[in-house]
Amino acid sequence: MSSKAVTRADAGLASTLRVAVLRLRRRLVNEHAPDNDLSIGSMAVLGALAKGGEATIGELAAHERVQPPSMTRIVGCLADGGYVERRASDTDRRQVIVAITEKGRATLEADKRRREEWLARRLAALTPQERAILRAAAPVLEKLATSE
Amino acid sequence: MSSKAVTRADAGLASTLRVAVLRLRRRLVNEHAPDNDLSIGSMAVLGALAKGGEATIGELAAHERVQPPSMTRIVGCLADGGYVERRASDTDRRQVIVAITEKGRATLEADKRRREEWLARRLAALTPQERAILRAAAPVLEKLATSE
DNA sequence: TATTGTTATACTCTATAACTATA
DNA sequence: TATAGTTATAGAGTATAACAATA
């Protein structure tokens, strides 16, 4: 296979992958439990805090790939609901340290299964081989999403 | 591995996959060529028309998993730009048949490579094995996205 | 009466620009 | 002067509800 052929094959892969990701994301958003008052983005921030510990607004914005004002808003909503707490950094009082609360952690755990119910059900309907493929693909997708 | 263990493993997969898809989608949107006056959703509709031929508003809405009013809007923008043409159905004059124009087809082709440049570049940076994993995963993701 | 699509309206999420406080 | 975050504002994309035309 020539280098040009590889490039062409990857262009096709990019196309397919792109469409699949966009459609799947739309399904995930649509199936998002409506009795959950936290948006998908907010839950992602809670997840990041639960996994990585405290973080500044800037760090969260970079991690979630949104602009700082967007993260200010998300964290504001989370703080209003008591899911996170904000405090000024000791070393640099411009920085705002965000930490997940017990309520946030409990909400994250409680909602985790429910929020993923739709996807888990769809995964259960796949063949074991298809699930194995996705298990292998998930970290690669994550790598793509966070590259550079 | 017990059935419960399988369920737990799949719950983890759902979680990982979900986060990866949301993040990757955000990257795709952010890297979307700004000199393209058509949104990602509009391009997806053009692609569906190019691939599947004419379709009604309702069919397009179902295919793209959006509500009919949203599709009316998207098709309106495409028609304004001359990328598609609308006409009433012969057999049912309530229905609106949407067809891609030559301009639409040309735009789709011309933009295809450019729009996928970012993703293709990231794919090229992966190992051959990682690309193989994604090639196998793409149809499974598509299946997930369009299931039910 | 049911269905297809449109219009009117509002909501969610995000971004850019301008500003405040701190370094 | 530069940086972290916030406020103000605007835009893109989508949804629901009410409506028109047709079946």
Side-chain angles (χ1 to χ4, degrees):
Chain A
M1 203 186 236
S2 74
S3 140
K4 198 155 194 174
V6 170
T7 302
R8 242 184 288 121
D10 286 347
L13 175 55
S15 175
T16 311
L17 202 53
R18 184 188 164 90
V19 169
V21 166
L22 294 178
R23 287 225 183 98
L24 186 49
R25 182 263 180 184
R26 171 132 302 282
R27 291 304 295 276
L28 290 173
V29 169
N30 283 345
E31 307 292 343
H32 181 232
D35 54 331
N36 184 348
D37 60 331
L38 293 181
S39 74
I40 284 186
S42 297
M43 293 306 299
V45 171
L46 276 192
L49 290 173
K51 188 179 173 191
E54 312 184 323
T56 67
I57 298 280
E59 286 166 350
L60 289 173
H63 186 259
E64 298 300 319
R65 306 260 170 194
V66 298
Q67 293 300 308
S70 300
M71 190 49 65
T72 291
R73 230 190 89 123
I74 293 171
V75 169
C77 290
L78 288 172
D80 288 348
Y83 301 101
V84 302
E85 279 174 357
R86 284 173 291 198
R87 62 180 171 75
S89 164
D90 291 335
T91 57
D92 182 343
R93 270 149 50 210
R94 292 172 305 181
Q95 290 188 327
V96 173
I97 309 282
V98 184
I100 190 169
T101 63
E102 209 37 64
K103 177 180 177 183
R105 210 174 285 273
T107 302
L108 188 63
E109 284 307 312
D111 286 9
K112 201 167 186 179
R113 297 187 179 211
R114 193 191 48 184
R115 286 186 305 116
E116 284 158 7
E117 194 181 294
W118 176 85
L119 184 51
R121 233 184 305 127
R122 288 301 170 292
L123 290 173
L126 298 178
T127 68
Q129 197 194 355
E130 287 172 328
R131 276 196 298 276
I133 288 172
L134 290 184
R135 260 191 287 277
V140 184
L141 292 172
E142 184 68 30
K143 182 177 174 181
L144 271 182
T146 56
S147 64
E148 198 131 302
Chain B
M1 201 187 236
S2 73
S3 139
K4 197 154 191 173
V6 170
T7 301
R8 242 183 289 118
D10 286 347
L13 175 55
S15 175
T16 311
L17 202 53
R18 184 188 164 88
V19 169
V21 166
L22 294 178
R23 287 225 183 99
L24 186 49
R25 182 263 179 184
R26 171 133 304 283
R27 291 303 295 275
L28 289 173
V29 168
N30 283 346
E31 307 291 342
H32 181 234
D35 55 332
N36 184 349
D37 59 331
L38 293 181
S39 76
I40 283 185
S42 297
M43 293 306 299
V45 171
L46 277 191
L49 290 173
K51 188 180 174 191
E54 311 183 324
T56 67
I57 299 281
E59 286 166 350
L60 288 173
H63 188 259
E64 297 301 319
R65 307 262 170 193
V66 298
Q67 293 300 308
S70 301
M71 190 49 66
T72 292
R73 230 189 91 128
I74 293 172
V75 169
C77 290
L78 288 172
D80 288 347
Y83 301 102
V84 301
E85 279 174 356
R86 283 173 292 198
R87 62 180 171 77
S89 165
D90 291 334
T91 57
D92 183 342
R93 270 149 49 210
R94 291 173 306 182
Q95 290 189 327
V96 173
I97 309 282
V98 185
I100 190 169
T101 62
E102 209 36 66
K103 178 180 178 183
R105 211 175 284 274
T107 302
L108 188 63
E109 285 307 311
D111 285 9
K112 202 165 185 178
R113 297 187 179 212
R114 192 191 48 184
R115 286 186 306 115
E116 283 156 7
E117 193 182 296
W118 176 85
L119 185 51
R121 234 184 304 126
R122 288 301 170 293
L123 289 173
L126 298 177
T127 67
Q129 196 195 353
E130 287 172 328
R131 276 197 298 275
I133 289 172
L134 290 184
R135 259 191 290 275
V140 184
L141 292 173
E142 185 68 31
K143 183 177 174 181
L144 271 182
T146 57
S147 64
E148 198 132 306

